[in-house]
Amino acid sequence: MNRRMTVTAGVAVLCTSTVLYPVFTDSVWFAASIGAVVTVAAVGALTRLRPLPVPACLAAGVAGLLLYLNLVFEARHSLLLVIPTPASVSSLWDLVGTGFNDASRYAPPVPNLPGLLLLTVAGVGITAVLTDLIAVRLRSTALAGLPLLVLFTVPVTVNAPHSQLVTGLVFCLGGAGYLAMLSADGRERIRVWGRLVSLWRSSPWPDTAGFDGAGAAGLDGPGAAGSDGAGAPGTASRIRGTGSGPDTRALAAAGRRVGLASIVLALCAPLLVPGLHPSKLFSSGPGIGGTGTGTGALALPSTLGQAVNSLRDTHPSVEFTYTTTASASMQSNDAEYFRQYVFDTLADGTGWEVTDYADGAGPASSMPQPQGLTDMSSPPLVGTTITASKNFSTVSSQPTFLPLIYPATQVVAPGTWLADLDLMVYSAHSSIAGQSYSEVSLDVDPTTQQLAQLGKLASPPDLTPDLQLPSSYQTPALKKLAQQHAGGQDTEIGEVDALANWLSGPQFSYNLSAALFDSADGLQSFLTKSKTGFCVQSAYAMTVLSRLLGIPARFVVGYTSGTRMKNGTYRVMNTDAHAWTEVFFPTFGWLRFEPTPSGQGTAHATNYMGNAPGTGGISPDPVITATAPAQQNSSRPSSQFGRTHAQPGTTGPVSGVTAGSAGTPWAAVALAVIAAIVLAGAVITMIAPPALRTVPAAATPTSPARRRKPVTATSMTLAAAAAALVALALYRLISRTSGLNLGAGWATVGLAFGLAAAVALTGPSIARIALRRWRWIRAGDDTSRAHAAWREFHDDLTDYGITCPASEPPRTLAARVTTGLPDPASQAIRRLALAEERARYAASPSGSDTLRQDGATARRALAASVGPSARWRARIFPVSLITALANTTTRASDHVATRRTRHHSTS
C-alpha cells in the first residue's frame, strides 16, 4: 500500500479543484469537496490492503463517494444517518435533477443551492476516484492528469467571471499538485525498484580518455568492478568530459513520453471541450452571461454560434410554435421575424457583441418606448402567443432571451423577466422551455415612398454606438466597396436597398459550409474573393458597410417567421435560425433588411425593399399538415428545413448547400488520418504483447516458457476510452474545421479515417511478413541463411511472448523452449540452434536447405502452444517489429543527443 501516493493524489485533486472558485459565491463547496476527497482516499487505501481487481477498486471508490454524498445531503432520510435507504437514494436523485435545472438557470457566481453543491462535490469526488485509481492503483501517474484536466475546463465552459491574477495563481496551484504526483511516483519507483534507474552505463568506446591510471574514478584499483584500467568495452566506469556518464536513457525516454502526452493533450483539449478557446483561460473581467446579477457581455462565439449550429443541424427540431392575430394577408405578405439578440458593438478579433444590456433594463411588464418610433397609434397591434418546446435552445450559463416580434409593447411570461432599451427581454433565473408566453407588438410597415421622403438625415447623437467601427474596418478598400455599390443614391433607403440588393444578388451564393470571420480581413475576403456564405456573413457585411456610409445599423440574430401549419398555427424550427441587419430611420425607428442570398427557404425580403434579385418576390407561406410536408408547386424550389432544393423538372442553378458546393475538406481529411494513426498506435500499444522481459538466471531447461497474460478488462476499457476520445475529438474537429458541413463532408472524412485506421492497424502484420521475406531474399549463402533463420526464430519467440536475453546460447535457448513441444518441432528448433552455432563458431557452416522449413515448423508449433487471442495478437500486432521500431527511435534520439553534447563540449 502506497500511503504517500494516496495522500499526494488527494492533495493534487484539491489543489486542482480550486479552479472552481469563480463558480460559487463562497467556499462552502470546497469544504464539502475536502470531505469527498478524504473519503475517496481512505476507501482507496483500504482496497489496497489486499490485491483486488481494478473494477472492484473502482466500484469501492464510487460506493464510498455515494455514502459520503448520502451522509452530507440526505442524512435525514438515511438509516442511522449513514446507511442509504430507498427514500434517501430517491431524494438524492431528485436533487441531481434539481441541480441540472439550476445550472441552466443561474449564471456564475451562483449561491449555495443544494443541487449545485451536490453536482460540484460529486464531480470533485469522481475526479478523486479516477485520479486515485489511475495514479496509485494502475501506477500511470502521467495519465492521471486527464481527470484533473476536466476540472480545469469547468469554469471555462460555464464562462465564470474571474480575475487574471487569481486565475494565474490557481493554475500554478493545480500544476504544482500534478507535479507533486509525478515526483512522488518517481520517488516511489526508485524506492521499491519498480523501474531500474542505472547510474552508470558501459563505455561504448575502447579509448581511455577521461580515465585515471588506476581505473575508473571512485573504484578501488584496476580490477574493481571488472575494470582493467584500459577502458575496455563493457567496463562499468565513470567517464568525464565527452565519455559516458550517468545512464539517463530511461529518464530521457520517460521525459519524451510525458512531453509527447502533454503536446497531444494541449492540441486535443480544444477539440474535446465544448467552447474552449485559449484566450478564455486567462481572460479577465466578467464572463459570458455576466456575474449572475445581470451585468456582463454576450460574445459572438456563444449566441451567434448557437444560431450557426442550428442552421447546420442535420436533425431539425421544433424551437417553438405560435399563433397570431395578424390577418392572413399580413402574414402572407410580410410576416415578421422573431428577434432574440441585438449586437451593437463590433470588436477586433471577436466580432459582434452585446454590451451592457443590463444598463437601463427594467421589468418586462413595462416595456420601454421603441427607439425612434414617433407615432405609436397608427401601426396596427398584433397579438402573438408563443409556446416554446421542451428542448428550446439556450446558451449554457447565460440568461434566457425570448424570441419576440419587434417592436413589442407588452410581454407576459411566467417568471421574472427584464427588458433592455433595445427591447430584448431576458431572465437570469427563469426558463421558458415547455411554457407559453404572449406579446403585443406594432406592425410597422412603411412604404418605400415614405422612407424615400426622409432623404438623408443626420443621425441623432444617441445612436453613436450604432455608427462606431474599429479602426481596422475603416480601410479605403471597404469604404470604396460601400461607395461603389451604394453611392449615387439620394436617400438613405436607396443606399440601404442598394447594399441589400448587391449582397443578395447573383454574384453571391448561399452556402452553409462557408467559413465564418470576425475581422476586417475576413470581411474583405468575403466581399471580393469567396463571395459565398449564409445569413451571418451577409448581415455582418451589410451592417459594417452601412456604418461606413454613416447609416446607423446593428446586427440581429433570431428566427424567421417559420412555416404555417394546417391548423393555423406556425412552427419555427431550429433551422429557421437567422441573422439580419436593422437600419435606423427617423419616425419609423429600426427596420429590418434582408441581405441574404436565396437559400434559406423561410427568409424573405420586406415590403419596403426593392425587388432584390437574390431574395425574389414575396410569396404566401406554404401550408403543411402537422405530420408531413405539403406538396408544393413543382415549378418553384421547395424549402425544407431552411435550405433550398430543386424540384424535379426545374432547370437552372439553385443556390443552396449541394454535395459539391462545400468542396473536399482537406484539412479535416488530413487530421482524420492523423487521428486514425494515433488511435491505431494506442490500440497496438495496449493490445500487443509487452516488450522483452528478462528471464531469471535460475531458469533451467525444464522451466516453462514465459508468455504474456491474456488481455484484461482494464486494457480493453482503456482501449475503448481511447477510441471514444479520438472519435469525439474527430467529430468536434470536423464540425469546427472551416465551417464544415457534416452532412457534406462526413463521407469523405469518414472514408479517410477508416482507410488510415485500417492501414495503420494492418501495417505491423504486413511489415512483419515483408521483413521475413526480405531476410531470406538477402541471405545468399549458408552462413547468412543460418543467421536469418535464427533471427526469425528469435522474433517468433518475441511475438508469442516468450523472451530471453540476447546473450543466451542458441543450444540453451533451444533446450528451454522445446519443453512441451511436439517432437518434430523440437527437432526443427534444435537444427536451427545447431546451424546458428556452426555459423558463429565453426570453420564451415552446416547445410541450410531445410532451415526455412524448420523455421515455419517451429512457428506453427509456437502458435499451437498458446491460446487463440495470443495467436491473433502475434499475427496482427507482432511485438518484435514494434519493439524494433521503438528501439530504433530511442537510439536515434540518443545519437542526436550525444552528438549535440559533443558539439557543445568541444565548442
Side-chain angles (χ1 to χ4, degrees):
M1 179 176 63
N2 190 337
R3 296 182 179 87
R4 174 181 293 177
M5 276 301 300
T6 302
V7 173
T8 307
V11 172
V13 173
L14 289 177
C15 290
T16 307
S17 68
T18 57
V19 301
L20 303 178
Y21 81 93
V23 178
F24 287 89
T25 54
D26 54 37
S27 57
V28 174
W29 67 270
F30 187 69
S33 299
I34 292 177
V37 173
V38 171
T39 301
V40 169
V43 172
L46 290 176
T47 60
R48 286 184 285 275
L49 291 176
R50 293 289 185 272
L52 295 176
V54 173
C57 296
L58 177 60
V62 174
L65 177 61
L66 288 177
L67 286 175
Y68 173 78
L69 295 176
N70 184 79
L71 173 65
V72 173
F73 293 96
E74 292 296 335
R76 64 185 184 278
H77 295 136
S78 303
L79 182 63
L80 301 178
L81 301 179
V82 177
I83 303 175
T85 63
S88 67
V89 173
S90 177
S91 299
L92 203 64
W93 181 254
D94 293 339
L95 192 57
V96 171
T98 303
F100 280 111
N101 184 49
D102 292 340
S104 64
R105 295 172 54 203
Y106 287 89
V110 298
N112 292 316
L113 300 175
L116 295 177
L117 286 175
L118 172 60
L119 292 180
T120 303
V121 176
V124 174
I126 288 296
T127 303
V129 170
L130 295 177
T131 303
D132 183 84
L133 181 72
I134 297 173
V136 186
R137 175 62 178 83
L138 298 179
R139 302 305 300 271
S140 299
T141 310
L143 290 179
L146 288 176
L148 300 181
L149 179 64
V150 175
L151 287 180
F152 265 104
T153 65
V154 172
V156 179
T157 54
V158 301
N159 300 288
H162 48 274
S163 66
Q164 188 171 1
L165 176 61
V166 178
T167 300
L169 293 176
V170 167
F171 178 81
C172 294
L173 188 61
Y178 180 60
L179 292 178
M181 270 203 315
L182 295 177
S183 176
D185 179 67
R187 288 175 177 270
E188 184 64 18
R189 287 180 183 273
I190 293 177
R191 186 181 69 83
V192 300
W193 298 105
R195 173 187 293 176
L196 178 62
V197 181
S198 174
L199 295 180
W200 317 109
R201 65 182 176 194
S202 300
S203 172
W205 299 292
D207 59 87
T208 58
F211 285 83
D212 57 28
L219 300 179
D220 297 331
S227 173
D228 58 1
T235 58
S237 51
R238 183 177 182 178
I239 308 298
R240 298 184 181 92
T242 59
S244 65
D247 186 1
T248 60
R249 288 177 294 179
L251 297 178
R256 285 191 295 269
R257 288 192 293 269
V258 172
L260 179 60
S262 302
I263 294 173
V264 171
L265 286 178
L267 294 175
C268 292
L271 300 174
L272 298 174
V273 181
L276 180 60
H277 191 275
S279 62
K280 292 184 180 179
L281 290 175
F282 294 99
S283 61
S284 59
I288 298 175
T291 63
T293 58
T295 61
L298 286 172
L300 176 137
S302 54
T303 54
L304 186 55
Q306 172 191 329
V308 173
N309 291 335
S310 296
L311 280 169
R312 292 172 172 167
D313 195 349
T314 57
H315 303 286
S317 59
V318 176
E319 287 291 317
F320 58 90
T321 60
Y322 69 93
T323 58
T324 178
T325 61
S327 64
S329 61
M330 292 173 60
Q331 284 295 103
S332 62
N333 189 28
D334 188 7
E336 291 294 335
Y337 288 0
F338 288 82
R339 280 194 338 165
Q340 194 171 14
Y341 305 103
V342 179
F343 296 81
D344 51 9
T345 302
L346 182 59
D348 265 326
T350 57
W352 291 99
E353 297 177 349
V354 181
T355 58
D356 301 328
Y357 59 84
D359 291 348
S365 57
S366 178
M367 295 293 291
Q369 178 86 8
Q371 189 178 26
L373 183 60
T374 58
D375 186 1
M376 297 278 293
S377 59
S378 297
L381 294 175
V382 176
T384 307
T385 300
I386 301 100
T387 302
S389 69
K390 294 183 179 180
N391 298 321
F392 179 73
S393 298
T394 57
V395 180
S396 177
S397 79
Q398 294 188 9
T400 300
F401 283 73
L402 296 181
L404 294 170
I405 295 175
Y406 180 84
T409 60
Q410 181 182 348
V411 176
V412 178
T416 303
W417 298 87
L418 300 176
D420 79 334
L421 298 178
D422 290 330
L423 302 189
M424 290 192 299
V425 176
Y426 66 95
S427 176
H429 308 290
S430 300
S431 173
I432 203 62
Q435 303 184 67
S436 298
Y437 61 97
S438 62
E439 69 159 318
V440 176
S441 59
L442 298 174
D443 183 26
V444 181
D445 191 16
T447 65
T448 306
Q449 290 73 21
Q450 289 175 315
L451 295 177
Q453 292 173 2
L454 299 175
K456 290 185 177 181
L457 301 180
S459 301
D462 58 343
L463 292 175
T464 302
D466 299 297
L467 286 168
Q468 292 178 343
L469 287 171
S471 57
S472 61
Y473 286 84
Q474 301 178 30
T475 62
L478 288 177
K479 291 180 179 179
K480 181 180 179 181
L481 282 173
Q483 291 293 339
Q484 177 182 350
H485 295 284
Q489 300 292 330
D490 299 329
T491 61
E492 181 178 325
I493 181 61
E495 292 179 325
V496 175
D497 202 31
L499 285 178
N501 288 342
W502 173 54
L503 291 171
S504 61
Q507 58 270 33
F508 288 88
S509 61
Y510 188 90
N511 188 344
L512 278 173
S513 300
L516 299 176
F517 53 82
D518 54 13
S519 64
D521 292 338
L523 174 60
Q524 179 76 24
S525 177
F526 167 72
L527 293 174
T528 59
K529 296 179 181 179
S530 66
K531 294 186 178 182
T532 181
F534 50 102
C535 57
V536 174
Q537 293 91 334
S538 300
Y540 195 121
M542 181 170 178
T543 308
V544 172
L545 295 178
S546 297
R547 291 189 178 188
L548 288 174
L549 294 172
I551 301 174
R554 57 194 188 187
F555 186 94
V556 181
V557 172
Y559 297 89
T560 63
S561 55
T563 306
R564 185 172 181 266
M565 310 292 289
K566 188 175 182 180
N567 58 5
T569 62
Y570 288 80
R571 183 181 65 185
V572 178
M573 312 289 290
N574 59 344
T575 46
D576 290 320
H578 194 49
W580 62 90
T581 298
E582 285 186 349
V583 179
F584 182 84
F585 288 86
T587 306
F588 298 101
W590 292 98
L591 298 179
R592 169 175 57 90
F593 282 82
E594 184 58 76
T596 305
S598 63
Q600 188 166 354
T602 54
H604 58 270
T606 57
N607 286 339
Y608 42 80
M609 289 179 61
N611 290 327
T615 54
I618 300 172
S619 57
D621 288 352
V623 178
I624 64 175
T625 65
T627 58
Q631 297 298 323
Q632 300 183 11
N633 191 336
S634 61
S635 63
R636 56 177 296 199
S638 68
S639 172
Q640 188 177 37
F641 305 130
R643 297 162 175 80
T644 301
H645 304 273
Q647 289 282 0
T650 59
T651 58
V654 178
S655 299
V657 180
T658 61
S661 62
T664 303
W666 293 113
V669 169
L671 290 172
V673 172
I674 296 175
I677 295 174
V678 172
L679 175 60
V683 172
I684 292 173
T685 303
M686 293 178 183
I687 299 179
L692 295 178
R693 295 169 294 192
T694 303
V695 173
T700 64
T702 60
S703 300
R706 296 186 65 183
R707 297 185 175 92
R708 188 185 189 275
K709 296 180 181 179
V711 178
T712 63
T714 303
S715 299
M716 298 303 297
T717 302
L718 291 176
L725 287 176
V726 172
L728 176 59
L730 180 64
Y731 174 84
R732 292 190 56 80
L733 173 68
I734 296 172
S735 63
R736 293 173 57 179
T737 301
S738 303
L740 180 63
N741 181 7
L742 291 181
W746 181 260
T748 303
V749 177
L751 181 62
F753 179 81
L755 289 177
V759 171
L761 290 174
T762 59
S765 176
I766 296 175
R768 179 73 178 89
I769 296 174
L771 177 62
R772 180 181 300 125
R773 294 181 180 275
W774 176 247
R775 281 173 174 169
W776 285 108
I777 291 174
R778 291 186 59 190
D781 53 21
D782 291 339
T783 300
S784 59
R785 280 191 284 270
H787 292 325
W790 188 248
R791 282 195 295 268
E792 273 299 310
F793 178 65
H794 254 276
D795 288 349
D796 289 335
L797 292 176
T798 303
D799 292 340
Y800 289 103
I802 305 171
T803 60
C804 60
S807 59
E808 186 173 10
R811 193 175 303 184
T812 304
L813 175 61
R816 178 169 62 86
V817 170
T818 54
T819 302
L821 294 181
D823 186 65
S826 300
Q827 295 297 331
I829 293 175
R830 292 190 183 96
R831 286 194 293 271
L832 293 175
L834 179 62
E836 174 65 13
E837 285 188 345
R838 289 187 62 86
R840 289 185 187 181
Y841 311 117
S844 60
S846 61
S848 59
D849 296 337
T850 63
L851 292 183
R852 190 167 185 175
Q853 182 62 36
D854 289 339
T857 301
R859 185 163 50 254
R860 286 193 295 269
L862 293 175
S865 66
V866 298
S869 60
R871 190 180 309 133
W872 281 105
R873 266 199 314 271
R875 293 172 181 173
I876 301 175
F877 305 127
V879 75
S880 61
L881 183 67
I882 299 172
T883 303
L885 292 176
N887 292 338
T888 301
T889 304
T890 302
R891 285 195 298 269
S893 60
D894 288 343
H895 179 67
V896 172
T898 302
R899 290 180 62 88
R900 293 183 62 182
T901 302
R902 288 181 177 179
H903 174 73
H904 289 304
S905 61
T906 55
S907 60

